[in-house]
Amino acid sequence: MVFSAVLVVAFVLVGSFVRVPYVALGPGPTYDTLGDVEGRHVVAIDGARSYEDNGQLRMTTVSLNDEVTLFGALGLWVSGRYSVAPREEYFRPGQTDEQVRQENVEQFRSSQSNAEVAALRTLGYPVKVVADQIVADTPAAGLLEPGDELTKVNGKNVSGQNDVMSALENTRPGQDVELTYKRGKQPPRTVTATLDEHPDGQEQGFLGVQPADRADVPFTVDISLEDVGGPSAGMMFALAIVDRLQPEKLVDGQHVAGTGEIDSQGNVGPIGGISFKVVAAKEDGADTFLVPAQNCAEAASAAPDGLKLVRIQTLDDAVSALRNMRADKPVPTCES
């Protein structure tokens, strides 16, 4: 009996305190991108007139618990509110929690930048192409600096980051290409770069510059939201920027939630954890959820009763859907 009691105690201790190689996923907090954080708008416009809206645009998140014990994992799984998955699906071998956090922060910053460019494009503001990153020891190094505005590459005008890639598509290593750029307030300058072999083994020449689209406007957009990572907030940030910069109220009293990664062209891509996000949105009072088209099937299978799922493929789709809902017109849904 004593031996059995010792085994039971040992099992209880192990089950209660020893972490297992699993993570628990569940509904995370939601944030109103039209709301305030510590007395400041989540999305603030500095240097231009901005407008208020009495509705809500809630971005949604997924909670991830990496400190799961055996009993804790069983309890979360039995609750039906959380799922348990192998840790290796979310953390690469040898990757620390801090490395994961930093990676999520970088993705979040990138999503903010893409959201700004996509929103301003939708509103008709000009966009420029800049050298975002320069790879060391490449043809671009020493010629360009991060932040330089690219206007022409290999004889072709560029108005978007994809234009840079297209201009280099049929080049070959050893080929000379001309680059025209502007640095700050200096006049445009043209330089010649001799392309290297591509490190990925592609046939085209390699310049060594990572281009990015940036808004070319005399005001700034500041997004103030800490402790949130990943790229999936992009679409909701973009909608908030559009709403702030025009007198028209996109939501006008409605309580709308959503998710979706966005690129600088305004295309909305799928994200993970949609089944948890629709639950969190409904619990926080949303009656409409904007869903990336590729997530529709999963969202429909998990959505609580009373939550309308609107299918979105681009930022323009989302803006149109909000306008149509406000006017009681039909919108594309995940069920249609």
Side-chain angles (χ1 to χ4, degrees):
M1 291 179 63
V2 172
F3 179 71
S4 298
V6 171
L7 288 178
V8 170
V9 170
F11 178 70
V12 170
L13 291 174
V14 170
S16 300
F17 298 103
V18 177
R19 291 170 57 180
V20 293
Y22 288 84
V23 296
L25 304 169
T30 70
Y31 303 90
D32 180 17
T33 57
L34 292 178
D36 295 344
V37 172
E38 298 180 355
R40 181 174 174 80
H41 288 324
V42 171
V43 174
I45 311 299
D46 293 328
R49 183 176 180 181
S50 62
Y51 300 86
E52 301 293 326
D53 195 329
N54 58 347
Q56 293 189 17
L57 284 170
R58 287 199 166 269
M59 56 163 283
T60 51
T61 66
V62 175
S63 68
L64 187 151
N65 182 2
D66 184 38
E67 298 183 356
V68 180
T69 64
L70 176 60
F71 289 168
L74 289 173
L76 292 170
W77 180 72
V78 170
S79 73
R81 183 178 174 82
Y82 296 85
S83 70
V84 179
R87 189 179 189 277
E88 62 193 27
E89 292 184 9
Y90 296 88
F91 296 83
R92 294 189 296 273
Q95 190 177 31
T96 66
D97 291 349
E98 176 58 26
Q99 289 173 326
V100 171
R101 189 197 68 80
Q102 187 59 40
E103 187 175 285
N104 285 335
V105 167
E106 290 301 323
Q107 290 177 340
F108 190 61
R109 288 173 179 167
S110 177
S111 76
Q112 293 179 4
S113 177
N114 286 342
E116 178 183 353
V117 174
L120 294 178
R121 262 203 171 105
T122 291
L123 292 171
Y125 288 97
V127 173
K128 61 184 178 182
V129 185
V130 302
D132 187 38
Q133 298 179 35
I134 308 293
V135 181
D137 300 322
T138 63
L143 297 177
L144 299 175
E145 294 180 0
D148 286 347
E149 179 184 353
L150 301 173
T151 59
K152 187 177 290 188
V153 174
N154 197 24
K156 299 179 180 179
N157 293 326
V158 295
S159 57
Q161 61 188 34
N162 293 334
D163 294 338
V164 177
M165 307 303 182
S166 297
L168 297 172
E169 190 173 9
N170 295 317
T171 60
R172 291 294 182 267
Q175 180 178 333
D176 289 340
V177 297
E178 288 189 342
L179 311 172
T180 302
Y181 69 92
K182 292 192 293 184
R183 181 173 298 165
K185 296 182 179 180
Q186 299 176 18
R189 182 182 178 188
T190 299
V191 295
T192 300
T194 303
L195 301 179
D196 280 346
E197 292 188 3
H198 204 287
D200 294 337
Q202 300 178 32
E203 291 185 357
Q204 71 183 51
F206 183 64
L207 179 60
V209 59
Q210 176 63 51
D213 292 338
R214 293 288 183 268
D216 190 12
V217 293
F219 57 84
T220 59
V221 178
D222 295 323
I223 298 177
S224 304
L225 197 58
E226 303 295 333
D227 300 324
V228 177
S232 64
M235 183 183 70
M236 300 308 289
F237 282 139
L239 283 173
I241 295 169
V242 171
D243 206 353
R244 287 282 186 215
L245 283 170
Q246 60 177 4
E248 175 192 11
K249 295 180 179 180
L250 281 182
V251 283
D252 195 20
Q254 299 178 89
H255 193 157
V256 178
T259 189
E261 184 173 357
I262 197 168
D263 65 17
S264 62
Q265 302 294 321
N267 300 305
V268 177
I271 49 80
I274 189 76
S275 60
F276 303 116
K277 293 182 176 183
V278 292
V279 171
K282 183 63 177 177
E283 290 178 348
D284 282 351
D287 48 34
T288 301
F289 196 100
L290 305 178
V291 184
Q294 292 171 267
N295 288 126
C296 260
E298 184 182 358
S301 67
D305 292 338
L307 186 65
K308 184 176 184 177
L309 303 179
V310 178
R311 187 175 71 251
I312 301 298
Q313 296 190 73
T314 67
L315 177 59
D316 287 344
D317 288 346
V319 171
S320 296
L322 291 176
R323 285 173 174 157
N324 288 338
M325 285 191 297
R326 198 179 65 236
D328 292 325
K329 295 181 179 180
V331 296
T333 67
C334 287
E335 293 80 12
S336 61

